[in-house]
Amino acid sequence: MIDVKKVGLFIAECRKSKNWTQKQLGEKLGVTDRAVSKWETGRSLPDICLIEDICKLFDLQVSELLAGRKIEEEDYKKETEQMLIRTIGENQLYGFQVVLHLLEISALLAFYVPFFLAQGGIPNMTVENVFCWLAVVLLMGCTIYLDAKLPARRYRSSNIWIEALNAGIAFLIMVFYVFYINDIADMIKQGESVEVLYATAFIGLALVVGTRVLAVYKRKREEGL
């Protein structure tokens, strides 16, 4: 949340540094001195259409005005990220995380479709297969672009349950493919035990999910999330 009182005090401080009265500042911005007084006492924030004009008058970045203080250059990126997080909200950040994982899973499924159609052989360059591979490229391109552009990047892999579910689904897709191309019925005929196959898959799933959970938990502790 933006601290309205802190922003107001900062506006007052900037105004006084210019030796302007509230009326003079209001005239420069096209508002009344009563409006300026409301800002400075924390009763309201300036209209969004005035934010840029205020920043120009006081030579500020928007993030500095909303933070209510001058930001050193080395802290600027960190402070901007925190401002975005406070504005966006935790649930929306988790929503970004889910969208990115859905794109990744969709790309993985699209990649395996030609191999399923080829029933374990090498896929041919058919129209369907080319379409699937183009979809993989498109989906991964969207994932990379969104991961780079969406705010609060380091927070988007911070929900342990979402990360665990993503890792589990990806592993199960690969396990299903292995069973499919080898035909589990043939594997059983060759002497493989169903229990052993399922136990191996379960252990693998536990290891993959556990490793992902531990990695996320470790990163959360290191970054103080």
Side-chain angles (χ1 to χ4, degrees):
M1 290 286 293
I2 296 172
D3 191 330
V4 181
K5 288 184 179 292
K6 190 174 181 180
V7 173
L9 290 172
F10 187 50
I11 291 174
E13 180 185 325
C14 292
R15 173 181 62 78
K16 291 172 184 175
S17 70
K18 297 279 191 180
N19 294 318
W20 294 340
T21 63
Q22 291 181 341
K23 184 176 182 179
Q24 287 174 320
L25 176 57
E27 288 173 350
K28 294 178 185 297
L29 296 170
V31 299
T32 64
D33 55 345
R34 291 183 63 186
V36 175
S37 177
K38 285 183 178 180
W39 304 340
E40 296 186 352
T41 54
R43 286 178 289 168
S44 67
L45 281 172
D47 290 340
I48 192 167
C49 59
L50 295 173
I51 295 292
E52 187 176 352
D53 292 334
I54 294 172
C55 289
K56 285 181 179 178
L57 283 176
F58 298 131
D59 192 23
L60 299 171
Q61 299 288 342
V62 172
S63 57
E64 290 179 314
L65 178 62
L66 297 180
R69 67 181 180 88
K70 278 281 190 178
I71 302 172
E72 298 297 329
E73 187 174 348
E74 58 269 20
D75 295 332
Y76 180 75
K77 184 176 180 181
K78 182 179 179 181
E79 184 69 30
T80 301
E81 184 179 76
Q82 290 176 347
M83 289 291 299
L84 285 167
I85 293 163
R86 290 195 291 269
T87 304
I88 292 171
E90 190 176 68
N91 289 335
Q92 287 175 293
L93 290 173
Y94 288 155
F96 294 153
Q97 190 175 349
V98 170
V99 169
L100 289 171
H101 286 324
L102 286 175
L103 288 171
E104 291 172 355
I105 294 297
S106 299
L108 185 63
L109 286 170
F111 173 79
Y112 275 113
V113 166
F115 292 93
F116 279 113
L117 294 176
Q119 297 184 340
I122 299 175
N124 296 318
M125 293 295 288
T126 62
V127 174
E128 294 83 0
N129 291 344
V130 171
F131 177 79
C132 287
W133 288 324
L134 287 174
V136 172
V137 173
L138 179 63
L139 288 167
M140 289 308 299
C142 290
T143 302
I144 293 170
Y145 176 81
L146 290 174
D147 187 53
K149 296 297 182 182
L150 290 175
R153 184 173 185 175
R154 71 191 183 101
Y155 284 78
R156 289 202 305 279
S157 297
S158 61
N159 186 292
I160 292 176
W161 296 109
I162 296 175
E163 291 296 307
L165 183 62
N166 179 64
I169 292 173
F171 179 80
L172 289 175
I173 290 172
M174 290 185 281
V175 167
F176 181 77
Y177 173 70
V178 170
F179 281 0
Y180 177 80
I181 63 173
N182 288 288
D183 194 334
I184 193 170
D186 289 342
M187 294 169 72
I188 294 171
K189 288 178 183 177
Q190 293 171 11
E192 296 286 351
S193 168
V194 176
E195 290 78 10
V196 171
L197 291 173
Y198 288 153
T200 301
F202 180 78
I203 292 171
L205 176 64
L207 287 172
V208 169
V209 172
T211 301
R212 187 68 165 265
V213 167
L214 288 174
V216 174
Y217 180 73
K218 180 181 178 182
R219 189 171 56 77
K220 280 169 69 73
R221 289 189 62 184
E222 290 174 349
E223 298 185 0
L225 299 180

